[in-house]
Amino acid sequence: MKDHLPPNSRVIVLSATGRLVSMPELVPTLPTDRPTVFVAGAMAHGKVEVDYGDECVALSGYPLSGAMALARLTCAYENHLGIV
């Protein structure tokens, strides 16, 4: 699967079982010299299981829907880039 991602990209898996992070704090620390790819599950139950992720993070202490997880990610980038 990683063959289809940008070369030298950092792959971050979004999962309720990952290391708990605050997206507004994480986004500014991401490298700007290489692409960052986020992998989010699109299923009602279960967890994302991939072997090509560099890091696994949780966006909340509670399970979130895919839509809510992506909304938190998008909002963090909007605030960081001043798009609001």
Side-chain angles (χ1 to χ4, degrees):
M1 174 63 183
K2 201 161 183 172
D3 297 342
H4 302 287
L5 302 177
N8 194 33
S9 59
R10 177 179 177 178
V11 180
I12 299 176
V13 179
L14 305 177
S15 173
T17 60
R19 175 179 63 91
L20 185 60
V21 299
S22 165
M23 285 311 290
E25 293 176 9
L26 176 68
V27 168
T29 68
L30 296 174
T32 57
D33 60 340
R34 67 183 201 164
T36 299
V37 175
F38 290 92
V39 177
M43 57 262 196
H45 303 286
K47 63 180 182 176
V48 179
E49 293 183 15
V50 297
D51 58 355
Y52 52 86
D54 298 316
E55 183 178 7
C56 184
V57 300
L59 308 184
S60 172
Y62 303 96
L64 301 175
S65 68
M68 186 67 222
L70 294 177
R72 283 189 174 199
L73 174 63
T74 303
C75 185
Y77 268 100
E78 286 176 340
N79 290 331
H80 176 65
L81 298 173
I83 300 175
V84 182

